[in-house]
Amino acid sequence: YRDHVHSLSKGCDPNKVMAELFAKKTGICNGQGGSMHMFDAEHNMLGGFAFIGEGIPVALGAAFQKKRTCER
């Protein structure tokens, strides 16, 4: 449901995911993202989106940045 499974499948710490769900400072986003907006750069978890298609610009930007960084 929402980003919970995606975060876990990307390798995020389950304890940090649960802490995020309970809005604790020890969560992935310091308790500010909740279940809808989990973000973890270390595990390439780019967060969740409320609307279908909303993640396309984020994915495009991430791909562009990755390609640009790897070409240097």
Side-chain angles (χ1 to χ4, degrees):
Y1 179 67
R2 295 193 179 175
D3 296 332
H4 314 162
V5 175
H6 300 294
S7 297
L8 296 173
S9 68
K10 290 274 193 173
C12 297
D13 181 8
N15 293 323
K16 288 186 176 185
V17 172
M18 285 303 293
E20 187 63 37
L21 293 176
F22 288 100
K24 294 186 176 184
K25 273 285 209 196
T26 56
I28 292 174
C29 298
N30 298 320
Q32 297 179 358
S35 66
M36 193 62 189
H37 303 290
M38 290 187 189
F39 176 86
D40 188 359
E42 179 184 344
H43 293 96
N44 209 20
M45 178 64 190
L46 300 177
F49 307 99
F51 302 104
I52 296 173
E54 188 178 3
I56 294 172
V58 174
L60 183 62
F64 177 74
Q65 184 270 339
K66 181 80 168 173
K67 181 177 181 181
R68 188 170 181 211
T69 302
C70 291
E71 287 179 353
R72 291 184 180 185

